[in-house]
Each structure stands twice: as C-alpha cells, then as structure tokens.
Amino acid sequence: MPELRTVFAGVSNVLVTDGSSAVLVDGFFSRPSLPKLATRVAPDRVRIDEALRRLGVTELDAVLVAHSHVDHVLDAPVVAELTGATLAGSPSTRKVQEGYGLADGPFEELVPGEPVRFGAFTVTPVEAAHSAGDRVPGEITEPVRLPAKAKAFKTGRCYSFHIAHPAGNVQVHASANYVPGALAGYRADTLYLGAGAAGKQTEQWRERYWRETAGALGARVVRPIHWDAFWRPLSRPLKLLPKLFDDFGATMATFERLAEAGGVDLALPELWKPA
C-alpha cells in the first residue's frame, strides 16, 4: 500500500499525496502585501511556480477551496490550471474561476456530506463555519475580474475536508469555528486544525472547539494551521498573526492541555516538510 504524505505550505495550504494521486487545499501562495490587500490583488505566477516547485508538485487531482476569501481562493484557479486539477468548491469559488477567464477548466461544486472521488482519494466536504469576525461575508454573485479588491472575495460556503485514502484519513479544517455535531461519525488519523482568531475566544469556547474537531474525529495527530501572517511571502520565515487579530499563545495553551490529557501528538507543522 502506498504511503500517505502531507505537506504544510502556510495558512491552510495542505498537500495530501500518496506519490501518485494528490489533492491540495487552497493553494494560496501569492500572499499579497498589506498595501496590496488594501488596494487590488492578483495571483503572482512567480510565487505560485516557486511554491509548487517546493512542494514537488507538477500534477494534482484536485484543488479544494475551503471558502472564497482572498487568503484561500486567490490562486486556486491558477494552481488548478497549471496542474491539470479539478477546482472544487462553492458557487462563489466558481465565480472566481470564471472571472479569471478559466471557465472552461474543470470544476466540481461541493455539497456538504456528498463524497467526491479524486484519484485515490475520497473527499467529503463537511459543513463548516468561518471564524468569528468575518469581514467579507456573503456570496460572490458576479465573476471576479483581476486585479480585484480583496473585499470582492466574499466567504461563500465554508467547508471542512475529510480526505480518505486506503492508507489513512486526513481532515483539513481551515477555519477556527465549528458546526455542532458536523464531524460526528467521521474519523481521521491526522487533523490540520484552523487556529486563527481562536485566541480571541474564551477558554470554554476553545475547549468545545477541540471536542467538536479533534475529539469528534478521534485524531491522534493534530497540526494547527492558519496562524501565520498571510501577507508575508513564503520566502521569509512564518510569523504569527499580530495580537490585534489573535492570541495564538492562548490557543496553544488550551490545545496543549487537552492534547496531553488525550494522548494526542500536537505540534506546529513545519513549512515544506513532508509528514
């Protein structure tokens, strides 16, 4: 049986591959600077190409978009085109693909609870919720033309991805929030768990969040994601989101206590390092 590998590439980018089949969550590599985010943005092909090279990726079966904010969907249609992948996400994600002039590219509209086969993987999108303080809620109803304002990339539907393979199951849960009971009945060996903004919640909320995700899945390995300042290029070391947006120390203190009590392997994922 082929070995399953995962690779973290900043924010909520997670590659899952068995060496033959491969799916990538989000694929947000351009990481526009704060000044650009305040004006207009567009995918950066140089940064995209470099990230794919670092990941060792030339072909993908699917690019899975967790929701349609700029720090998730900006590069996804381009990455899908470059790798021959099916772009998979919400109707809002489809509007981004259309606006980029890539409407002829393959697209799979994801429906919560309905599994889809991509290569050797069975991906089940699970209903999810954006973290507290969503600044651009709503649906994208018109094609997004480039360059575009960051606020043009509205949330759309949110997903948590259950990625099943004969060698094991991986859950990528990009946003630090939960839909009560949504992950009941699913099992995953490894959970990539969204942490951004969880530090602004109460200790009681974080405990419930852990129970609804790591606890519900029975995960033995948990790797926090979406904690880094997504406007810094991947050529520089990752840095935490500023305290204005999050208190990651508070989140990790909660996670560490709960992981120790449950015998869970908890650690930050290393950029570009296969696991």
mmCIF file with all atom_site columns, all heavy atoms in Angstrom, residues 6 9 34 38 71 92 109 113 140-141 150 178 185 205 248 256 267:
data_model
loop_
_atom_site.group_PDB
_atom_site.id
_atom_site.type_symbol
_atom_site.label_atom_id
_atom_site.label_alt_id
_atom_site.label_comp_id
_atom_site.label_asym_id
_atom_site.label_entity_id
_atom_site.label_seq_id
_atom_site.pdbx_PDB_ins_code
_atom_site.Cartn_x
_atom_site.Cartn_y
_atom_site.Cartn_z
_atom_site.occupancy
_atom_site.B_iso_or_equiv
_atom_site.pdbx_formal_charge
_atom_site.auth_seq_id
_atom_site.auth_comp_id
_atom_site.auth_asym_id
_atom_site.auth_atom_id
_atom_site.pdbx_PDB_model_num
ATOM 1   N N   . THR A 1 6   ? 1.694   14.252 3.905  1.00 0.00 ? 6   THR A N   1
ATOM 2   C CA  . THR A 1 6   ? 1.085   15.574 3.918  1.00 0.00 ? 6   THR A CA  1
ATOM 3   C C   . THR A 1 6   ? 2.198   16.604 3.995  1.00 0.00 ? 6   THR A C   1
ATOM 4   O O   . THR A 1 6   ? 3.257   16.348 4.576  1.00 0.00 ? 6   THR A O   1
ATOM 5   C CB  . THR A 1 6   ? 0.130   15.757 5.114  1.00 0.00 ? 6   THR A CB  1
ATOM 6   O OG1 . THR A 1 6   ? 0.870   15.584 6.334  1.00 0.00 ? 6   THR A OG1 1
ATOM 7   C CG2 . THR A 1 6   ? -1.009  14.757 5.067  1.00 0.00 ? 6   THR A CG2 1
ATOM 8   N N   . ALA A 1 9   ? 2.034   24.276 3.684  1.00 0.00 ? 9   ALA A N   1
ATOM 9   C CA  . ALA A 1 9   ? 2.638   25.345 2.883  1.00 0.00 ? 9   ALA A CA  1
ATOM 10  C C   . ALA A 1 9   ? 2.083   26.711 3.271  1.00 0.00 ? 9   ALA A C   1
ATOM 11  O O   . ALA A 1 9   ? 1.808   27.550 2.418  1.00 0.00 ? 9   ALA A O   1
ATOM 12  C CB  . ALA A 1 9   ? 2.432   25.069 1.397  1.00 0.00 ? 9   ALA A CB  1
ATOM 13  N N   . LEU A 1 34  ? 0.312   43.839 2.708  1.00 0.00 ? 34  LEU A N   1
ATOM 14  C CA  . LEU A 1 34  ? -0.794  44.611 3.264  1.00 0.00 ? 34  LEU A CA  1
ATOM 15  C C   . LEU A 1 34  ? -1.192  45.797 2.380  1.00 0.00 ? 34  LEU A C   1
ATOM 16  O O   . LEU A 1 34  ? -2.389  46.038 2.182  1.00 0.00 ? 34  LEU A O   1
ATOM 17  C CB  . LEU A 1 34  ? -0.445  45.079 4.682  1.00 0.00 ? 34  LEU A CB  1
ATOM 18  C CG  . LEU A 1 34  ? -0.522  43.995 5.764  1.00 0.00 ? 34  LEU A CG  1
ATOM 19  C CD1 . LEU A 1 34  ? -0.033  44.554 7.094  1.00 0.00 ? 34  LEU A CD1 1
ATOM 20  C CD2 . LEU A 1 34  ? -1.933  43.451 5.906  1.00 0.00 ? 34  LEU A CD2 1
ATOM 21  N N   . ALA A 1 38  ? -4.926  46.248 0.608  1.00 0.00 ? 38  ALA A N   1
ATOM 22  C CA  . ALA A 1 38  ? -5.746  47.446 0.817  1.00 0.00 ? 38  ALA A CA  1
ATOM 23  C C   . ALA A 1 38  ? -6.168  48.099 -0.498 1.00 0.00 ? 38  ALA A C   1
ATOM 24  O O   . ALA A 1 38  ? -7.000  49.006 -0.499 1.00 0.00 ? 38  ALA A O   1
ATOM 25  C CB  . ALA A 1 38  ? -4.984  48.451 1.664  1.00 0.00 ? 38  ALA A CB  1
ATOM 26  N N   . ASP A 1 71  ? -7.444  34.934 1.032  1.00 0.00 ? 71  ASP A N   1
ATOM 27  C CA  . ASP A 1 71  ? -6.342  34.125 1.531  1.00 0.00 ? 71  ASP A CA  1
ATOM 28  C C   . ASP A 1 71  ? -6.586  32.629 1.389  1.00 0.00 ? 71  ASP A C   1
ATOM 29  O O   . ASP A 1 71  ? -5.830  31.813 1.931  1.00 0.00 ? 71  ASP A O   1
ATOM 30  C CB  . ASP A 1 71  ? -6.018  34.483 2.990  1.00 0.00 ? 71  ASP A CB  1
ATOM 31  C CG  . ASP A 1 71  ? -7.206  34.358 3.914  1.00 0.00 ? 71  ASP A CG  1
ATOM 32  O OD1 . ASP A 1 71  ? -8.353  34.505 3.454  1.00 0.00 ? 71  ASP A OD1 1
ATOM 33  O OD2 . ASP A 1 71  ? -7.002  34.119 5.123  1.00 0.00 ? 71  ASP A OD2 1
ATOM 34  N N   . SER A 1 92  ? -19.401 30.350 -5.185 1.00 0.00 ? 92  SER A N   1
ATOM 35  C CA  . SER A 1 92  ? -18.591 31.566 -5.120 1.00 0.00 ? 92  SER A CA  1
ATOM 36  C C   . SER A 1 92  ? -17.207 31.323 -5.712 1.00 0.00 ? 92  SER A C   1
ATOM 37  O O   . SER A 1 92  ? -16.663 32.162 -6.443 1.00 0.00 ? 92  SER A O   1
ATOM 38  C CB  . SER A 1 92  ? -18.473 32.048 -3.670 1.00 0.00 ? 92  SER A CB  1
ATOM 39  O OG  . SER A 1 92  ? -19.713 32.534 -3.194 1.00 0.00 ? 92  SER A OG  1
ATOM 40  N N   . GLU A 1 109 ? -18.666 21.424 -7.979 1.00 0.00 ? 109 GLU A N   1
ATOM 41  C CA  . GLU A 1 109 ? -19.345 22.114 -6.880 1.00 0.00 ? 109 GLU A CA  1
ATOM 42  C C   . GLU A 1 109 ? -19.520 21.136 -5.719 1.00 0.00 ? 109 GLU A C   1
ATOM 43  O O   . GLU A 1 109 ? -20.119 20.061 -5.885 1.00 0.00 ? 109 GLU A O   1
ATOM 44  C CB  . GLU A 1 109 ? -20.698 22.652 -7.320 1.00 0.00 ? 109 GLU A CB  1
ATOM 45  C CG  . GLU A 1 109 ? -21.408 23.415 -6.209 1.00 0.00 ? 109 GLU A CG  1
ATOM 46  C CD  . GLU A 1 109 ? -22.738 24.020 -6.619 1.00 0.00 ? 109 GLU A CD  1
ATOM 47  O OE1 . GLU A 1 109 ? -22.936 24.254 -7.837 1.00 0.00 ? 109 GLU A OE1 1
ATOM 48  O OE2 . GLU A 1 109 ? -23.573 24.236 -5.730 1.00 0.00 ? 109 GLU A OE2 1
ATOM 49  N N   . GLY A 1 113 ? -21.489 16.730 2.850  1.00 0.00 ? 113 GLY A N   1
ATOM 50  C CA  . GLY A 1 113 ? -21.948 15.370 3.073  1.00 0.00 ? 113 GLY A CA  1
ATOM 51  C C   . GLY A 1 113 ? -21.915 14.476 1.859  1.00 0.00 ? 113 GLY A C   1
ATOM 52  O O   . GLY A 1 113 ? -22.132 13.259 1.987  1.00 0.00 ? 113 GLY A O   1
ATOM 53  N N   . ILE A 1 140 ? -20.333 35.364 -3.635 1.00 0.00 ? 140 ILE A N   1
ATOM 54  C CA  . ILE A 1 140 ? -19.839 36.040 -4.836 1.00 0.00 ? 140 ILE A CA  1
ATOM 55  C C   . ILE A 1 140 ? -20.835 35.715 -5.946 1.00 0.00 ? 140 ILE A C   1
ATOM 56  O O   . ILE A 1 140 ? -21.020 34.553 -6.293 1.00 0.00 ? 140 ILE A O   1
ATOM 57  C CB  . ILE A 1 140 ? -18.425 35.563 -5.205 1.00 0.00 ? 140 ILE A CB  1
ATOM 58  C CG1 . ILE A 1 140 ? -17.448 35.832 -4.062 1.00 0.00 ? 140 ILE A CG1 1
ATOM 59  C CG2 . ILE A 1 140 ? -17.946 36.268 -6.477 1.00 0.00 ? 140 ILE A CG2 1
ATOM 60  C CD1 . ILE A 1 140 ? -16.061 35.234 -4.282 1.00 0.00 ? 140 ILE A CD1 1
ATOM 61  N N   . THR A 1 141 ? -21.467 36.734 -6.474 1.00 0.00 ? 141 THR A N   1
ATOM 62  C CA  . THR A 1 141 ? -22.529 36.510 -7.463 1.00 0.00 ? 141 THR A CA  1
ATOM 63  C C   . THR A 1 141 ? -22.143 36.923 -8.874 1.00 0.00 ? 141 THR A C   1
ATOM 64  O O   . THR A 1 141 ? -22.844 36.588 -9.828 1.00 0.00 ? 141 THR A O   1
ATOM 65  C CB  . THR A 1 141 ? -23.807 37.257 -7.052 1.00 0.00 ? 141 THR A CB  1
ATOM 66  O OG1 . THR A 1 141 ? -23.517 38.649 -6.918 1.00 0.00 ? 141 THR A OG1 1
ATOM 67  C CG2 . THR A 1 141 ? -24.342 36.720 -5.720 1.00 0.00 ? 141 THR A CG2 1
ATOM 68  N N   . ALA A 1 150 ? -9.700  43.096 -2.426 1.00 0.00 ? 150 ALA A N   1
ATOM 69  C CA  . ALA A 1 150 ? -9.769  41.933 -1.542 1.00 0.00 ? 150 ALA A CA  1
ATOM 70  C C   . ALA A 1 150 ? -11.188 41.666 -1.075 1.00 0.00 ? 150 ALA A C   1
ATOM 71  O O   . ALA A 1 150 ? -11.594 40.510 -0.900 1.00 0.00 ? 150 ALA A O   1
ATOM 72  C CB  . ALA A 1 150 ? -8.832  42.122 -0.350 1.00 0.00 ? 150 ALA A CB  1
ATOM 73  N N   . TYR A 1 178 ? -16.820 25.958 14.499 1.00 0.00 ? 178 TYR A N   1
ATOM 74  C CA  . TYR A 1 178 ? -17.407 24.627 14.362 1.00 0.00 ? 178 TYR A CA  1
ATOM 75  C C   . TYR A 1 178 ? -18.908 24.718 14.169 1.00 0.00 ? 178 TYR A C   1
ATOM 76  O O   . TYR A 1 178 ? -19.557 25.678 14.579 1.00 0.00 ? 178 TYR A O   1
ATOM 77  C CB  . TYR A 1 178 ? -17.094 23.763 15.588 1.00 0.00 ? 178 TYR A CB  1
ATOM 78  C CG  . TYR A 1 178 ? -17.634 24.331 16.885 1.00 0.00 ? 178 TYR A CG  1
ATOM 79  C CD1 . TYR A 1 178 ? -18.922 24.022 17.326 1.00 0.00 ? 178 TYR A CD1 1
ATOM 80  C CD2 . TYR A 1 178 ? -16.858 25.189 17.659 1.00 0.00 ? 178 TYR A CD2 1
ATOM 81  C CE1 . TYR A 1 178 ? -19.433 24.556 18.505 1.00 0.00 ? 178 TYR A CE1 1
ATOM 82  C CE2 . TYR A 1 178 ? -17.351 25.726 18.842 1.00 0.00 ? 178 TYR A CE2 1
ATOM 83  C CZ  . TYR A 1 178 ? -18.628 25.396 19.264 1.00 0.00 ? 178 TYR A CZ  1
ATOM 84  O OH  . TYR A 1 178 ? -19.134 25.941 20.418 1.00 0.00 ? 178 TYR A OH  1
ATOM 85  N N   . GLY A 1 185 ? -19.257 10.970 13.452 1.00 0.00 ? 185 GLY A N   1
ATOM 86  C CA  . GLY A 1 185 ? -19.298 9.853  12.513 1.00 0.00 ? 185 GLY A CA  1
ATOM 87  C C   . GLY A 1 185 ? -18.116 9.794  11.565 1.00 0.00 ? 185 GLY A C   1
ATOM 88  O O   . GLY A 1 185 ? -17.927 8.793  10.872 1.00 0.00 ? 185 GLY A O   1
ATOM 89  N N   . TRP A 1 205 ? -14.914 28.199 25.059 1.00 0.00 ? 205 TRP A N   1
ATOM 90  C CA  . TRP A 1 205 ? -15.161 28.035 23.622 1.00 0.00 ? 205 TRP A CA  1
ATOM 91  C C   . TRP A 1 205 ? -14.074 27.163 22.990 1.00 0.00 ? 205 TRP A C   1
ATOM 92  O O   . TRP A 1 205 ? -14.366 26.273 22.190 1.00 0.00 ? 205 TRP A O   1
ATOM 93  C CB  . TRP A 1 205 ? -15.201 29.397 22.937 1.00 0.00 ? 205 TRP A CB  1
ATOM 94  C CG  . TRP A 1 205 ? -15.564 29.322 21.481 1.00 0.00 ? 205 TRP A CG  1
ATOM 95  C CD1 . TRP A 1 205 ? -16.802 29.450 20.936 1.00 0.00 ? 205 TRP A CD1 1
ATOM 96  C CD2 . TRP A 1 205 ? -14.673 29.067 20.382 1.00 0.00 ? 205 TRP A CD2 1
ATOM 97  N NE1 . TRP A 1 205 ? -16.742 29.300 19.573 1.00 0.00 ? 205 TRP A NE1 1
ATOM 98  C CE2 . TRP A 1 205 ? -15.455 29.055 19.202 1.00 0.00 ? 205 TRP A CE2 1
ATOM 99  C CE3 . TRP A 1 205 ? -13.302 28.849 20.285 1.00 0.00 ? 205 TRP A CE3 1
ATOM 100 C CZ2 . TRP A 1 205 ? -14.898 28.838 17.943 1.00 0.00 ? 205 TRP A CZ2 1
ATOM 101 C CZ3 . TRP A 1 205 ? -12.743 28.623 19.026 1.00 0.00 ? 205 TRP A CZ3 1
ATOM 102 C CH2 . TRP A 1 205 ? -13.536 28.619 17.868 1.00 0.00 ? 205 TRP A CH2 1
ATOM 103 N N   . PHE A 1 248 ? -2.371  33.653 19.748 1.00 0.00 ? 248 PHE A N   1
ATOM 104 C CA  . PHE A 1 248 ? -2.070  32.252 19.462 1.00 0.00 ? 248 PHE A CA  1
ATOM 105 C C   . PHE A 1 248 ? -1.542  31.526 20.695 1.00 0.00 ? 248 PHE A C   1
ATOM 106 O O   . PHE A 1 248 ? -1.756  30.327 20.853 1.00 0.00 ? 248 PHE A O   1
ATOM 107 C CB  . PHE A 1 248 ? -1.069  32.167 18.316 1.00 0.00 ? 248 PHE A CB  1
ATOM 108 C CG  . PHE A 1 248 ? -0.829  30.766 17.812 1.00 0.00 ? 248 PHE A CG  1
ATOM 109 C CD1 . PHE A 1 248 ? -1.874  30.011 17.310 1.00 0.00 ? 248 PHE A CD1 1
ATOM 110 C CD2 . PHE A 1 248 ? 0.437   30.207 17.837 1.00 0.00 ? 248 PHE A CD2 1
ATOM 111 C CE1 . PHE A 1 248 ? -1.664  28.721 16.840 1.00 0.00 ? 248 PHE A CE1 1
ATOM 112 C CE2 . PHE A 1 248 ? 0.664   28.924 17.366 1.00 0.00 ? 248 PHE A CE2 1
ATOM 113 C CZ  . PHE A 1 248 ? -0.398  28.183 16.868 1.00 0.00 ? 248 PHE A CZ  1
ATOM 114 N N   . GLU A 1 256 ? -2.604  22.410 24.071 1.00 0.00 ? 256 GLU A N   1
ATOM 115 C CA  . GLU A 1 256 ? -1.578  21.574 24.700 1.00 0.00 ? 256 GLU A CA  1
ATOM 116 C C   . GLU A 1 256 ? -2.136  20.821 25.902 1.00 0.00 ? 256 GLU A C   1
ATOM 117 O O   . GLU A 1 256 ? -1.846  19.638 26.101 1.00 0.00 ? 256 GLU A O   1
ATOM 118 C CB  . GLU A 1 256 ? -0.382  22.437 25.107 1.00 0.00 ? 256 GLU A CB  1
ATOM 119 C CG  . GLU A 1 256 ? 0.464   22.876 23.917 1.00 0.00 ? 256 GLU A CG  1
ATOM 120 C CD  . GLU A 1 256 ? 1.441   23.984 24.263 1.00 0.00 ? 256 GLU A CD  1
ATOM 121 O OE1 . GLU A 1 256 ? 1.427   24.463 25.431 1.00 0.00 ? 256 GLU A OE1 1
ATOM 122 O OE2 . GLU A 1 256 ? 2.221   24.387 23.374 1.00 0.00 ? 256 GLU A OE2 1
ATOM 123 N N   . ALA A 1 267 ? 1.705   19.508 17.522 1.00 0.00 ? 267 ALA A N   1
ATOM 124 C CA  . ALA A 1 267 ? 2.889   20.309 17.207 1.00 0.00 ? 267 ALA A CA  1
ATOM 125 C C   . ALA A 1 267 ? 2.566   21.170 15.996 1.00 0.00 ? 267 ALA A C   1
ATOM 126 O O   . ALA A 1 267 ? 1.680   20.834 15.199 1.00 0.00 ? 267 ALA A O   1
ATOM 127 C CB  . ALA A 1 267 ? 4.102   19.421 16.904 1.00 0.00 ? 267 ALA A CB  1
#
